[in-house]
Amino acid sequence: MRCSLHDSLVWLYPDSEIGARTRTKVALDVARGGIAAITVLVNDASPGVPLKVTLTPAPREWKVYRLVDVAVEKNTGIVCFCEPEGEVNPDVVRRAPYRTYDAMEPVAAAGFKATAATQVFRIHVPVKRTAKPGEQQMVCTVTHGDATAELKIDLTVHAARLPPAGAASFPYTNWYSVDNMAERHGLKPWSEAHWRMIRRYADLMYQGRQNTFWIPLSQIFTLDEKGVPVLDRARLRRWVRTFTEAGLHYIEGGHFGGRTGRAWEAPTFSIGLSQSLATSPEGNADIAAIAGQLMEEIDRNDWWDRWIQHVADEPIAANAADYRIFVGMVRKYMPGVPILDATMQESLVGSVDMWCPQVQSYQQNCERFEHMQELGDAVWTYTCCCPGGPWLNRLLDMELLRPVLIGWASALFRLDGFLHWGFNQYQKQQDPFEMNVIPNWGGGSNSLPPGDTHIVYPGTSGPWSSVRFEAHREGLEDYELLRQLQERDPKKAQSLMQPVIRAFDDYTKDATVLRKARRKLLLALGS
């Protein structure tokens, strides 16, 4: 058995070799309230023989994860989706097809059986916000059969302190599937076991610093015998209570509707529950019924400072006129509730309170969106099957620095939030361990790029995190620290960020550069 330490922000693969230079010592920096992480690569393991991991002295609540490799069947395209025939995207970490270690299986430090000659595991050391700053030396001992390896970790806990995820932290949401939380774990929908599983997913979201959770209207409304939408008030209240108890704060009311006939260029929108045209008398009645019942619950439960409302996803020029009327109708029945929708259509000024363009659209129209902020609007960004090429995103064939740098770019541009649709949105035919590129069900001949549908995995008894999800968490931790320095010393913050991030498509690809900048950031906040 051979063991070597590796940066947690660098991909490893089943064919990764330790090489002549084994790294047996590492220095880690962490803020109070953060998580220190390191990855261990093991070569020449014997399948079936347990690997035992110990830390001395053992920090409280430290965790071990066995990394599980997943398939990357195709590469992301230069613009978005997957590479069409004949295109070669130069901004990928490796040419597909291949496998990479992304899924994180929680295991007992006392031992887990090796499944192949190459094994990768990851150690997390959470640091409390009340921890005493200073240096700690730990020894990681790996035992495999008769072989033993010792790896040294020098951990510096800095005085800088992270705020907890919640009402005051950076707004961040992943859209999730509660149906998959039941189906992928063999549970009856809305059973007590399902609610417990939903809570486990909510806990994982909170671990990743997510503080906003969406509630699709189709999950809390049904149509009665007359076709009138009826709210399941008990389910809504329990949903909010479950995520609130996990630590999440902001509530996203799901979309009232979508494109008529689901055609991208459709000029009109229809109500999701009834399929009535949104701007018709029937649609108005549906909006009034849905909004009225939601407002009663918002008022009764004092959710006024928490509720954010979606109307329809990604309006474009072809349906901008209908979207404006649709939003006006929702506002009539939900006065005072802010509207958030993913949109890059600048002609919709005055319709939304919270803009959410894709990162490349934001950058290309940065001055206009900054003007929206000056007028009082919030500006989030999002990624999905777009963008590809050199742009920041969270896909499987991109550097692990890119999810981290979403947080840095958000601080650089002083953005107000981040959204991604794919938390656990596996489709019926999809095994996310073996199938990460799937057809685009919305139309078109191209496929969704690797990892777009999800950033967590359905484990044997609950959700598993991923190295991408944890990388994004690190970036959101950095965001909070960068904002503290920006308030204290804007010029110093700008100087510190410059080697790391210049734009959403201009940044370092060297983890060492990021680590050095983060250390400077921590030292600056501790002085």
Side-chain angles (χ1 to χ4, degrees), residues 37-72:
I38 191 67
T39 301
V40 180
L41 171 64
V42 179
N43 284 159
D44 302 331
S46 299
V49 176
L51 277 162
K52 182 179 179 181
V53 182
T54 60
L55 271 186
T56 308
R60 296 184 65 181
E61 300 179 353
W62 71 287
K63 296 179 181 179
V64 180
Y65 300 88
R66 183 176 73 92
L67 299 194
V68 178
D69 57 290
V70 303
V72 181

Side-chain angles (χ1 to χ4, degrees), residues 6 24 95 107 153 171 192 230 268 323 374 387 414 416 446 465 477 487:
H6 287 259
T24 59
R95 297 304 307 165
V107 294
I153 301 172
E192 288 302 312
V230 177
T268 61
Y323 178 82
E374 292 170 359
R414 298 179 184 267
D416 300 303
N446 215 328
S465 187
E477 291 178 352
E487 292 176 5

Side-chain angles (χ1 to χ4, degrees), residues 25-176:
K25 185 175 182 179
V26 67
L28 302 179
D29 296 278
V30 65
R32 292 185 289 174
I35 300 173
I38 191 67
T39 301
V40 180
L41 171 64
V42 179
N43 284 159
D44 302 331
S46 299
V49 176
L51 277 162
K52 182 179 179 181
V53 182
T54 60
L55 271 186
T56 308
R60 296 184 65 181
E61 300 179 353
W62 71 287
K63 296 179 181 179
V64 180
Y65 300 88
R66 183 176 73 92
L67 299 194
V68 178
D69 57 290
V70 303
V72 181
E73 309 99 288
K74 295 180 181 179
N75 285 117
T76 304
I78 292 175
V79 176
C80 59
F81 295 103
C82 287
E83 292 173 337
E85 180 140 0
E87 179 180 279
V88 177
N89 179 4
D91 294 296
V92 297
V93 293
R94 194 168 187 174
R95 297 304 307 165
Y98 65 93
R99 300 185 71 86
T100 190
Y101 289 106
D102 188 44
M104 293 170 49
E105 177 188 10
V107 294
F112 56 96
K113 290 184 178 180
T115 57
T118 295
Q119 296 288 280
V120 179
F121 64 90
R122 177 176 171 129
I123 296 172
H124 277 192
V125 180
V127 177
K128 290 187 176 182
R129 274 178 284 277
T130 56
K132 183 179 179 180
E135 296 183 358
Q136 304 175 19
Q137 287 76 43
M138 293 176 287
V139 175
C140 173
T141 303
V142 184
T143 304
H144 182 63
D146 296 330
T148 299
E150 288 191 349
L151 308 168
K152 297 180 180 180
I153 301 172
D154 291 338
L155 177 65
T156 301
V157 176
H158 291 262
R161 183 183 283 114
L162 287 162
S169 65
F170 181 69
Y172 165 44
T173 187
N174 292 289
W175 291 350
Y176 50 85

Side-chain angles (χ1 to χ4, degrees), residues 98-386:
Y98 65 93
R99 300 185 71 86
T100 190
Y101 289 106
D102 188 44
M104 293 170 49
E105 177 188 10
V107 294
F112 56 96
K113 290 184 178 180
T115 57
T118 295
Q119 296 288 280
V120 179
F121 64 90
R122 177 176 171 129
I123 296 172
H124 277 192
V125 180
V127 177
K128 290 187 176 182
R129 274 178 284 277
T130 56
K132 183 179 179 180
E135 296 183 358
Q136 304 175 19
Q137 287 76 43
M138 293 176 287
V139 175
C140 173
T141 303
V142 184
T143 304
H144 182 63
D146 296 330
T148 299
E150 288 191 349
L151 308 168
K152 297 180 180 180
I153 301 172
D154 291 338
L155 177 65
T156 301
V157 176
H158 291 262
R161 183 183 283 114
L162 287 162
S169 65
F170 181 69
Y172 165 44
T173 187
N174 292 289
W175 291 350
Y176 50 85
S177 167
V178 290
D179 291 338
N180 280 338
M181 293 176 192
E183 180 184 337
R184 296 291 170 141
H185 300 285
L187 304 175
K188 181 181 178 181
W190 308 116
S191 64
E192 288 302 312
H194 185 201
W195 280 112
R196 288 193 294 270
M197 185 60 68
I198 292 172
R199 173 57 191 268
R200 294 187 64 181
Y201 275 84
D203 288 339
L204 181 54
M205 294 175 203
Y206 183 75
Q207 175 184 306
R209 295 195 67 83
Q210 183 172 336
N211 63 354
T212 306
F213 59 98
W214 83 320
I215 305 180
L217 299 188
S218 61
Q219 297 284 0
I220 56 173
F221 279 93
T222 55
L223 298 178
D224 67 12
E225 65 278 2
K226 295 182 180 179
V228 176
V230 177
L231 174 64
D232 187 333
R233 296 174 186 269
R235 182 179 294 178
L236 171 60
R237 292 173 191 172
R238 184 162 186 181
W239 197 314
V240 173
R241 184 172 70 250
T242 298
F243 281 84
T244 301
E245 289 174 351
L248 287 81
H249 181 76
Y250 295 104
I251 309 163
E252 287 177 88
H255 302 89
F256 271 75
R259 288 165 167 76
T260 302
R262 300 187 68 179
W264 182 253
E265 297 283 343
T268 61
F269 292 93
S270 295
I271 302 300
L273 289 166
S274 65
Q275 298 306 304
S276 299
L277 283 176
T279 54
S280 69
E282 294 78 12
N284 178 66
D286 290 338
I287 294 169
I290 295 168
Q293 293 171 83
L294 290 177
M295 291 296 280
E296 287 174 1
E297 290 299 310
I298 291 170
D299 193 51
R300 179 178 290 117
N301 296 285
D302 194 23
W303 293 335
W304 281 103
D305 64 338
R306 302 179 62 188
W307 197 281
I308 301 165
Q309 186 60 51
H310 292 290
V311 176
D313 198 31
E314 298 182 315
I316 59 175
N319 43 49
D322 202 62
Y323 178 82
R324 275 187 173 280
I325 300 171
F326 194 1
V327 170
M329 296 165 76
V330 172
R331 285 193 189 277
K332 176 181 177 180
Y333 299 109
M334 299 188 78
V337 175
I339 302 297
L340 164 67
D341 270 325
T343 180
M344 294 165 277
Q345 185 58 39
E346 298 161 29
S347 66
L348 293 175
V349 290
S351 295
V352 295
D353 304 291
M354 307 167 81
W355 295 84
C356 193
Q358 288 177 7
V359 294
Q360 78 282 11
S361 177
Y362 168 81
Q363 186 166 298
Q364 291 158 4
N365 299 279
C366 181
E367 291 185 2
R368 293 182 182 177
F369 284 114
E370 287 177 348
H371 183 56
M372 301 301 178
Q373 287 175 306
E374 292 170 359
L375 293 175
D377 289 349
V379 177
W380 293 31
T381 56
Y382 79 106
T383 63
C384 54
C385 52
C386 299

